[in-house]
Amino acid sequence: MAPQDLVEQLLALPDVESQRRFLEDHASLLDDEVANALKAQADHFLRADSQSALQMANLLFHMAELSGDLEHRALGLRAEGNVRLFGLGEYQKAIELYDEAARIYQGQGCLVDQAKSQVGKLEALSQLGCYAEALEVGEWVSRILEDHAEWQVLAVLSMNLGNVHSRAGDDAGSLEMYNQAAMLCRQLEEKEEPPWLWLWVQQNRAIALRNLGRFEDSIRASQTAWEGLERLGQWVEAARARQNLAFTYFLLGRYNEALKHLDQARDVFLADGRQHDAMRVESFISDCLLQLRRFKDVLEKCRRVRSLFAELGTRRVVGYAIVNEAVAYAALGCYPEALDSLAEAHQIFEEEDNIAWIAATDMETAAVLLQKGRYDESLVVAQECITVFKAHGLPVEEAQACLVAARAVLALGQHDEALRLATEVLDIGETKNVPTLIYQGHQLLGALAAARGDPQEALAAFDRAIEAIERLRGRLMVEFRVGFLEDKEEIYQDAVGLCLDLNQPLRGLEYAERAKSRALLDLLAYRLDLSIQARSRRDESIIEELVCLRAERDRLYRRWESGAGSGQRGWTLLEGDRGRAQQQVLALEDRITDLWHRLLIRNADYAREAALWTVRAEPVQPYLALDSILVEFFITHGRLVVFLVTAGEVQARRLEGDLTRIQTLTQLLWLNLKAVSKSSPDRVSALAINARGILGRLNELLMAPLADELGSFRRLIIVPHGPLHYLPFHALHDGTSFLLERYEISYLPGASFLRYCREAQLANSGLFAIGHSFGGRLPHTLQEARAVATLFNGQVLLENQATLANVQQGVSDCRMLHVAAHGDFRADNPLFSGLALADGWLTTLDIFNLQLNASLVTLSACQTGRNVVAGGDELLGLMRAFLSAGAASLVLTSWVVEDRSTAQIMEAFYQKLAHGWTKGQALRHAQLQFLQGRGEQKGAGYSHPYFWAPFFLVGNAGPL
């Protein structure tokens, strides 16, 4: 039997035991050709199926026992060494196996095979940071291979030497070795050798090219390697090429593309049991998450990476994770922890003599010193880093160090030096097309122009910075755009301030709008779909896991339901320690959120072309009636700016009110409101007097200065900003009356939403009402839902009929949706704020799955209008989800509402709607009945704002 036929029959057998018996039955045929064929099979499996490769190595060992040939054992040692190295990340074990093979060959007098057995050892040594030893071994092996014309193995050796130089921070040296390997591969191709080796070289060349700032060349090399390796069925190596491409995209600010490739690479590694490779992907993902300011996720990923790679002995990867950990700590203001982590990373890289990474660590140290106000120390460290990066030909890192130095000298008043450094940053950024450098360079130039009293030039520089930011932002999956803006709001604030100085209020309003609530606006403008659904076969496993996780989450969540307060339509879930179940729920929610984000990243095709995401402020004035004025607040460096927009003009002015004082008063108001539900009627009356006093002081700071401008208008549209979102403007008091008594008031997240609320596509008719008493604790919800449905001859679902499936089916084509139920606001994770139904919770996440055509959605439950105010003034909660699902307007609640009074307000509200009143008029009338003591509730003590002021209208306040 021919050796190849023997191996083919061997591989066709179903299990290891059958294969071992087959070898034993054919022991007389086990010669060198069979051994080499088994080794070739092990190499073939290596990059696609590490377990099969290890199985081939074990068969070689068994064959060596049968043949008694030590060289057969040496082949097995080399095959297993490759699996330990490339498949399992067990670098020290791989070195031991390679060395044992080398000793066998040396004893047999096989010098060339001895040299070949050391080629993989270079890779393992470099992974462990033993660069000098790796280069010494490589020089010896190279001489032998060249003397014996072993060109293919020499090409592999050259590639491994390139890896050694790369990990040591010598990218110029690594590129030279990769180019040498590529040249040898091309010569081999002319002799019809397989192209796989050349593709491997290309993926490694891509790393060196990227580090040297040759990004387009790097992208081409990575794409060539990835596509070619996939054609050859080398899925693991193709995944490594994707990983390399992802990191290049990351440096260019193409974050979503980077995350998408990393996600796909991780799936490949996990499918092949390569946990260490998958964990290394997590390390790269943490780079992206740092830019998205998801610091909790970064710290968790770094903790896991540190643990695994410390165990494997791969200190360079550990050091890399520690640096990211330090950056996250610094961003959270944990400076001692950041400096401790950086010192630990510095020691690791110093022990490896990795000068480039020592400088990278020191640069982050300089950044922390800058944040702590230690400008002189920061400058000295940053300047040393600039020198190192320049010497190593690392332009992006050089520019990043220049940024730190520029900020330090700017703080020290050295404007000429700051200008020189900022210009250098911008030159590198524009030459290499790196938006993160471009926006920061322009921001520095803007600050310098403002410092020398040139507002026109400063505004032009800030405008260019904002353009670069928005180009970056457009590359992101929409849900990641929120955190991305958190540390960039200062540029918009500076631009708004300059517009006011230059008396350009309309332009200032545009900058304010570009800074606010962009993710929700993008959902509306581009009709993006955030629903949980499989858009390809690759998504199906994620959907299956999400369904299971959410069912388990709902099951555990019900343990808390018995703790709800009687007579209130909600309570804060996470007050106090609820034990182990709470931790299980939180872990499940983290996993659900992560899977949902992965699903959205995979399907964010809209983020590929940044040109489609030019940010602009939508027109406001064409949508304003003559009797309406839009009042938009904006905070610039702790000071309040207000824009007053009418159909005819835009005004802007700074308010003298102290923002800290406003926040303190808002907190006092909330303490007052929380006390009402636990107080006697006499105590409620006293609290009402106290509340009016607080609301009066807030009015003096916010609305009284605008009295002359507001006097002639009947309708106010309030656009809050920052902490002002937690303030019920309609309840502000001027000493005589509440603001609601003088104006019809509605709210918007941003002025640009006015157009989308007015132009929403609406169902022709129909009301859909839902009532659920939460186990009988909220009996008035049922009465309310019935009354509302009766007024409009609508459909109503009560109690056990109010299931998730029935609700999701019924809401899709109704002009009005009314939900009277128990509500829960989750400040820790607004994605799981929701409404309690018969068989579970209708959460924010579920609402993204809905498609509404509703003119009005009323959420008659507790805290349905509460939001987490995130980066870019994005409001995270139920309101955002319902607006994105297609609601033109919402009636929501700001705090916990009482069951009976809520039902009365809702019935009064819908009675006026049924008589043709506008939504704004109807809600105002219902609230005035309470605060003025008229109607059914007369004498019930409902005049305190606690009872009538939680309700507010968002969106289109016009007719149904």
Side-chain angles (χ1 to χ4, degrees), residues 275-465:
Q275 182 64 33
H276 70 289
D277 282 316
M279 193 60 68
R280 191 168 301 202
V281 170
E282 295 289 333
S283 183
F284 289 136
I285 289 174
S286 72
D287 286 303
C288 292
L289 296 181
L290 279 174
Q291 297 303 314
L292 305 180
R293 301 184 62 77
R294 303 179 67 86
F295 303 123
K296 174 187 171 185
D297 294 339
V298 171
L299 291 173
E300 174 60 24
K301 288 182 186 296
C302 289
R303 182 191 63 77
R304 289 159 51 202
V305 169
R306 286 185 65 164
S307 175
L308 176 64
F309 284 94
E311 185 179 324
L312 292 173
T314 318
R315 289 170 56 76
R316 179 180 57 85
V317 180
V318 173
Y320 185 89
I322 294 173
V323 171
N324 278 355
E325 172 187 278
V327 175
Y329 276 136
L332 293 169
C334 304
Y335 300 125
E337 292 86 346
L339 290 172
D340 287 346
S341 292
L342 288 167
E344 184 181 356
H346 187 284
Q347 183 177 350
I348 289 173
F349 295 127
E350 198 168 57
E351 289 171 358
E352 293 191 351
D353 197 28
N354 192 325
I355 295 174
W357 266 101
I358 292 172
T361 306
D362 290 345
M363 180 177 68
E364 298 300 344
T365 302
V368 175
L369 294 172
L370 179 71
Q371 289 172 281
K372 289 173 62 66
R374 294 160 61 178
Y375 305 123
D376 289 308
E377 297 171 74
S378 174
L379 178 60
V380 170
V381 177
Q383 287 172 330
E384 292 172 353
C385 294
I386 292 169
T387 302
V388 172
F389 292 137
K390 193 184 290 287
H392 281 71
L394 302 172
V396 173
E397 288 80 359
E398 179 188 344
Q400 290 169 336
C402 285
L403 275 171
V404 178
R407 291 182 177 126
V409 295
L410 180 60
L412 292 167
Q414 301 174 24
H415 289 183
D416 290 343
E417 179 63 5
L419 178 62
R420 183 189 70 79
L421 288 164
T423 303
E424 190 168 338
V425 170
L426 207 50
D427 287 345
I428 294 174
E430 290 178 341
T431 301
K432 304 299 181 182
N433 191 28
V434 182
T436 52
L437 297 177
I438 292 171
Y439 94 74
Q440 292 178 92
H442 282 304
Q443 183 181 15
L444 277 168
L445 292 179
L448 285 164
R452 64 172 182 266
D454 188 346
Q456 294 281 8
E457 179 56 35
L459 187 56
F462 289 139
D463 191 65
R464 288 189 286 268

